[in-house]
Amino acid sequence: MKLLHTSDWHLGRSFHGVGMLGAQQHFIDQLVDTVRERSVDVVLIAGDVYDRALPGVDVVTMFSDALSRIRSAGARIILTSGNHDSASRLGFGSAILAHGGVHLRTRIAELATPVELELAGATLAVYGIPYLEPRLTAEELEAAAPTHTAVMRAALERVHHDLESRRAHGPVRSLVMAHTFASGGLTSDSERDLSIGGVGAIPVDLFDGLDYVALGHLHGRQELSRSVRYSGSPLPYSFSEAGHHKGGILLEFDREGLVGAENVSWDTGRRLAVLRGTMADLLESDRHAAAEDSYCQITVTDAERPLKAMERLRARFAHTLVLAFEPEGGPRTDRLTYSERIAKAQDDLEVCCGFLDHVRSRSAGDAERGLLMETLAKVQTAEVSA
């Protein structure tokens, strides 16, 4: 049996103000092609289907169409809710949808009720653990404390109890889907913190004894152990993901358990590039030619903030989205505070020029000084006339 592990679709999210619906539709097209071409039996979505609790109508329509196309391609679907989703809204109609091969696990009451898949001579029990907010779920789970580790431990105890009862009647293999931050996972800038201070990570050994754990939440595809993996998000949602290879993980199970796990890559459309250098280097060097059609995050390192930097950079890198200024060697140490500049200014022109230098880290040029002098002269003439 073949299962495709995915997570963190984040339908409806933008990328630094750029709409992503076209790229998200392209990803869904590729996923459906993979289901059809690789004869996938089940698609797993380990949380964060949407990017917000109240997704737009167009986004809900996109997801509804995706479910229909995946089913038409021959695969069943099992999904859990993530910390970006509204569990109650995503889980609406779950009993009805199950009859159509779409299985939703968004409630604590259902996390120990698996979707049973038939293997040759065994059963694969797929459990879906939705995102568990400790303060809201600890009491219902009867957890020892309102922490991520405690509520996940309590949830997994329910799963193992159910597994034991099922194994009394025959061979059962196990797969758990969970949306959480497990120790050892590498984070990126686009994930929402699950707790304050970074104490939300749970130990990986909580998942011992399970055949496979399909994790969601972290956007980089990574293997914490042979049986515990993050599929990562299918698209990049921050420049910290520029080096990621996006896609899913194709799993193969038989009566002995997990027998194969293969990374599947999908095209993400426009690439990401993170560039750094002086304006001269950025605008002239052939080293950056490959980034000319990418979404760019650029850090300029000139000693002074260049004039019209964004305009000039976009002449070469048209899709520059983020621009930062970090002078090589650190900020100037000879710079005065603005109050010190005002105190030392000899005339109005020095006040104006000092303000420019303070707010943009670049001294006024000759043309700018001339314009300021002309403007100040007009103001003084107007005041005398009044």
Side-chain angles (χ1 to χ4, degrees):
M1 174 171 287
K2 294 181 180 180
L3 303 94
L4 184 59
H5 171 192
T6 73
S7 71
D8 297 274
W9 290 20
H10 286 289
L11 298 181
R13 175 174 280 198
S14 62
F15 181 81
H16 290 275
V18 176
M20 296 285 285
L21 290 184
Q24 289 165 346
Q25 185 62 65
H26 181 50
F27 138 66
I28 291 170
D29 292 343
Q30 295 176 90
L31 184 150
V32 172
D33 289 342
T34 299
V35 169
R36 185 176 292 108
E37 294 167 4
R38 303 298 297 271
S39 300
V40 173
D41 298 292
V42 180
V43 172
L44 309 174
I45 309 173
D48 282 352
V49 173
Y50 298 120
D51 190 53
R52 62 192 64 187
L54 290 172
V57 174
D58 53 348
V59 176
V60 175
T61 300
M62 175 186 288
F63 185 54
S64 175
D65 179 65
L67 296 179
S68 177
R69 294 176 62 195
I70 292 169
R71 290 293 293 126
S72 295
R76 296 163 70 182
I77 301 158
I78 307 173
L79 65 89
T80 60
S81 51
N83 58 301
H84 283 249
D85 300 311
S86 165
S88 58
R89 292 185 176 90
L90 185 61
F92 174 78
S94 58
I96 298 172
L97 288 171
H99 292 291
V102 179
H103 305 274
L104 309 179
R105 291 295 183 268
T106 63
R107 299 187 301 154
I108 290 175
E110 301 169 328
L111 64 81
T113 302
V115 178
E116 296 181 272
L117 306 174
E118 293 303 316
L119 303 172
T123 298
L124 175 61
V126 181
Y127 298 88
I129 300 178
Y131 169 64
L132 302 172
E133 170 55 48
R135 291 167 298 177
L136 302 178
T137 61
E139 183 176 354
E140 184 176 352
L141 284 166
E142 299 180 333
T147 66
H148 284 279
T149 297
V151 297
M152 183 59 72
R153 178 178 284 113
L156 289 169
E157 286 174 356
R158 294 188 179 193
V159 168
H160 282 293
H161 179 75
D162 183 79
L163 272 172
E164 289 175 9
S165 64
R166 292 176 185 277
R167 284 172 174 161
H169 304 287
V172 179
R173 297 303 172 191
S174 59
L175 188 155
V176 168
M177 303 164 61
H179 194 88
T180 190
F181 177 23
S183 296
L186 300 177
T187 63
S188 61
D189 294 342
S190 52
E191 297 121 10
R192 184 178 298 167
D193 288 342
L194 293 185
S195 65
I196 298 172
V199 297
I202 66 171
V204 176
D205 60 11
L206 281 186
F207 300 115
D208 288 352
L210 300 168
D211 289 290
Y212 186 82
V213 180
L215 294 178
H217 180 58
L218 300 187
H219 289 188
R221 185 166 56 195
Q222 48 201 296
E223 180 179 340
L224 304 187
S225 72
R226 180 179 181 275
S227 60
V228 181
R229 305 188 188 210
Y230 283 98
S231 65
S233 60
L235 293 169
Y237 290 108
S238 73
F239 280 104
S240 64
E241 301 172 51
H244 290 185
H245 298 285
K246 297 299 188 180
I249 305 174
L250 186 61
L251 310 170
E252 187 164 357
F253 271 81
D254 66 12
R255 69 185 313 276
E256 302 301 323
L258 179 68
V259 294
E262 174 190 348
N263 290 340
V264 177
S265 296
W266 295 315
D267 173 49
T268 59
R270 197 179 303 281
R271 296 180 302 169
L272 307 185
V274 178
L275 308 179
R276 182 185 183 89
T278 63
M279 286 292 288
D281 172 66
L282 292 165
L283 295 176
E284 299 169 11
S285 175
D286 291 338
R287 294 186 297 110
H288 306 306
E292 290 177 357
D293 194 44
S294 302
Y295 288 127
C296 293
Q297 173 184 286
I298 300 179
T299 301
V300 177
T301 61
D302 294 72
E304 290 192 344
R305 189 183 299 271
L307 182 65
K308 297 182 179 180
M310 181 64 92
E311 179 181 333
R312 292 162 63 193
L313 288 168
R314 280 182 171 168
R316 182 179 188 187
F317 308 104
H319 305 286
T320 299
L321 301 180
V322 179
L323 176 62
F325 174 60
E326 295 180 8
E328 201 68 46
R332 284 165 40 192
T333 58
D334 62 337
R335 296 189 66 197
L336 303 175
T337 65
Y338 187 57
S339 59
E340 289 172 336
R341 291 180 186 278
I342 296 297
K344 289 179 176 293
Q346 300 296 314
D347 53 34
D348 291 343
L349 179 61
E350 284 193 25
V351 172
C352 294
C353 291
F355 175 76
L356 284 179
D357 193 7
H358 179 73
V359 299
R360 70 182 187 181
S361 301
R362 185 180 73 249
S363 302
D366 292 340
E368 291 171 322
R369 290 180 68 88
L371 181 60
L372 287 170
M373 291 175 64
E374 180 182 340
T375 302
L376 288 170
K378 289 181 179 179
V379 171
Q380 291 169 355
T381 300
E383 288 177 345
V384 171
S385 300

